[in-house]
Amino acid sequence: MKVLVINAGSSSLKYQLYNMTDESVLASGRVERIGMDSSIVTHEPAGKPEARDVSEILDHVTAVKRVIDMLIHPAHGVLSSMDEIDAVGHRIVHGGEAFKHSVIVTPEVKAEIKRLFDLAPLHNPAHMMGINAVDANMPGVPQVVVFDTAFHQTMPETSYLYPIPKVLYRRHKIRRYGFHGTSHSYVSEAAARYLNKPLESLKLVTCHIGNGASCAAIMDGKTLDTSMGMTPLEGLRMGTRSGDIDPAIVPFVMNKEELTLNEVNSMLNKHSGMQAISGLSSDMREVEEAMSEGDANAKLAFDMYVYRLKKYIGAYAAAMNGIDVLLFTAGVGENSATLRKAVCDGITFLGIELDDALNAERKKTARDISTPDSRVKVLVVPTNEELLIARDTYKLAMK
Ligand code: AMP
């Protein structure tokens, strides 16, 4: 059984082909600059050299066609024919309240994803183009959609409602949804397996810290709370996103600086966070490097980032009335020993004791970086959202 996983953006499409017998990746790649001249396909087949193709790809239908061409190419391919692909799984950013689990794509499911365009205008329409492109190229092949929001649909009202007039929730579904759900779900299950304990018996705070960053309080195997909200702007301080700010800043800045709604939205999403404070970069590696060379703004940006994360971990420990596992994942969480140390050394009162030597090790597998005496286990678990999408697709398509 072979499953193709697709993450379609408005001008890009990433893919991974899995052999579900052993969950190995047969090939992965990406199509960039869709709709522009000189689009680029980069294809990485397992055990063969990388292939690149530059040509004009005007739409997602052609992009998927090029992916299939690569997968069955005599030299770079890994399949003898397209018919070997049994199912396709898609990452979908927003599933609203309608989708609490992954589902097989049907006309009704497509209509519902369309109704959610309002909630994720930059993402869901692009995902829909990916689904339609697969329909056009591979008619009859089952497709499954896996939502970033689905895992957090277990949040109780106390976590997901905003204290604003309730009519806004009823009319426009303004509430907290949370994102990175596929990752929080994948790493929490992996942590339970690593610790050899049922997930339901653990209180975890999972920190998905990459370019975007969110943490989740996971109790009884379900999300109790998570830091992103109606959009991925809420919560932690991020690479270019502000995270939580006083909402009154928005009208104030619009008025004083004569900014439009779009401009202020762009300011908070693309020109804030670590980039704004460091004045340097949204990339944690560059901020850490500048900090080690004595750059005061880089240090301030790093300290603010860590401070917010510590506050959320503390808040979630309080919300769950305890914490058994603190988990780091994603680009920064998996790779930055400096960030993990700064966070953990500031919250020892919770029963967290980091082993500095284990923290400094570089490994690509799940690991415990706390001391044997640490009451709270501190884990680093590499995330793998594509694998979870492949697993859900396999499960649903095989039914
Ligand atoms: P992601 O969005 O999960 O791909 O994560 C991207 C972020 O991970 C970027 O801000 C990178 O700077 C950060 N990152 C990757 N490697 C490292 C590293 N060795 N140390 C610190 N940050 C890293």
Side-chain angles (χ1 to χ4, degrees):
M1 171 99 184
K2 304 210 169 66
V3 168
L4 180 64
V5 173
I6 288 185
N7 182 353
S10 56
S11 66
S12 71
L13 186 147
K14 292 187 210 141
Y15 63 94
Q16 287 205 335
L17 180 71
Y18 280 90
N19 178 356
M20 295 312 290
T21 327
D22 57 0
E23 296 190 337
S24 61
V25 176
L26 297 172
S28 60
R30 58 193 181 276
V31 185
E32 291 161 289
R33 298 175 53 86
I34 300 171
M36 303 172 210
D37 53 352
S38 53
S39 317
I40 307 160
V41 184
T42 312
H43 175 70
E44 296 172 34
K48 294 185 188 179
E50 180 184 296
R52 247 168 94 86
D53 178 56
V54 180
S55 60
E56 192 177 64
I57 298 179
L58 288 180
D59 56 23
H60 287 65
V61 175
T62 316
V64 168
K65 172 143 193 357
R66 290 292 157 78
V67 170
I68 295 168
D69 290 346
M70 279 293 192
L71 291 172
I72 62 173
H73 190 275
H76 323 300
V78 291
L79 300 174
S80 49
S81 106
M82 188 179 93
D83 299 340
E84 281 187 58
I85 301 173
D86 298 290
V88 178
H90 294 266
R91 175 201 177 211
I92 310 286
V93 163
H94 220 305
E97 289 188 324
F99 297 108
K100 302 190 189 321
H101 304 281
S102 306
V103 289
I104 291 261
V105 175
T106 61
E108 294 74 34
V109 165
K110 278 195 190 182
E112 190 57 49
I113 295 173
K114 249 190 195 157
R115 272 195 283 279
L116 296 167
F117 278 8
D118 254 5
L119 285 175
L122 297 179
H123 294 101
N124 277 22
H127 303 324
M128 185 60 88
M129 287 195 277
I131 296 170
N132 289 335
V134 171
D135 265 342
N137 281 283
M138 309 164 73
V141 173
Q143 300 194 64
V144 168
V145 276
V146 180
F147 301 91
D148 273 13
T149 47
F151 182 62
H152 301 310
Q153 275 296 300
T154 53
M155 277 194 288
E157 275 181 331
T158 38
S159 301
Y160 77 66
L161 282 180
Y162 289 111
I164 57 177
K166 247 186 150 175
V167 64
L168 295 173
Y169 169 58
R170 285 197 298 272
R171 255 190 223 153
H172 307 295
K173 292 288 170 214
I174 295 176
R175 51 158 280 179
R176 308 184 63 253
Y177 293 94
F179 297 86
H180 296 141
T182 314
S183 178
H184 288 289
S185 165
Y186 177 86
V187 295
S188 54
E189 277 175 27
R193 248 195 328 276
Y194 177 83
L195 296 170
N196 206 13
K197 291 197 170 146
L199 178 59
E200 293 69 26
S201 70
L202 296 170
K203 293 176 180 175
L204 303 98
V205 176
T206 50
C207 305
H208 175 112
I209 315 289
N211 266 328
S214 68
C215 49
I218 299 175
M219 196 173 156
D220 303 324
K222 298 182 293 202
T223 299
L224 172 70
D225 204 350
T226 188
S227 59
M228 284 178 169
M230 175 167 138
T231 77
L233 183 56
E234 190 179 333
L236 300 172
R237 291 164 179 160
M238 308 179 215
T240 63
R241 287 176 236 166
S242 63
D244 300 335
I245 59 165
D246 182 343
I249 292 171
V250 173
F252 188 88
V253 168
M254 286 177 72
N255 186 27
K256 289 281 183 196
E257 297 284 323
E258 295 182 11
L259 295 185
T260 64
L261 267 177
N262 275 344
E263 285 167 335
V264 94
N265 208 12
S266 161
M267 176 190 91
L268 294 173
N269 276 290
K270 298 190 184 141
H271 306 286
S272 295
M274 213 160 44
Q275 174 155 303
I277 301 299
S278 70
L280 186 73
S281 172
S282 61
D283 189 310
M284 184 57 93
R285 281 167 294 202
E286 288 181 38
V287 170
E288 282 183 15
E289 200 180 315
M291 185 168 68
S292 69
E293 286 161 3
D295 185 311
N297 290 327
K299 175 156 173 38
L300 177 61
F302 180 87
D303 288 348
M304 285 173 65
Y305 193 94
V306 167
Y307 182 66
R308 172 68 53 83
L309 187 51
K310 283 194 303 186
K311 286 213 304 190
Y312 262 94
I313 295 166
Y316 285 172
M320 295 190 290
N321 195 20
I323 168 173
D324 302 311
V325 179
L326 174 63
L327 187 156
F328 292 96
T329 193
V332 178
E334 289 169 35
N335 294 302
S336 175
T338 312
L339 173 108
R340 293 191 300 256
K341 181 165 169 56
V343 170
C344 292
D345 283 357
I347 47 175
T348 48
F349 80 100
L350 287 172
I352 289 174
E353 250 185 69
L354 196 69
D355 181 316
D356 287 340
L358 291 177
N359 181 41
E361 274 181 11
R362 294 198 143 271
K363 273 193 192 163
K364 284 280 165 220
T365 50
R367 61 207 172 99
D368 183 356
I369 56 169
S370 48
T371 65
D373 290 341
S374 182
R375 210 174 40 68
V376 175
K377 292 280 146 220
V378 184
L379 304 185
V380 180
V381 179
T383 192
N384 195 340
E385 291 158 279
E386 292 79 13
L387 178 56
L388 195 143
I389 296 172
R391 283 179 183 164
D392 275 10
T393 304
Y394 177 63
K395 253 187 283 174
L396 287 165
M398 289 306 285
K399 264 190 187 166

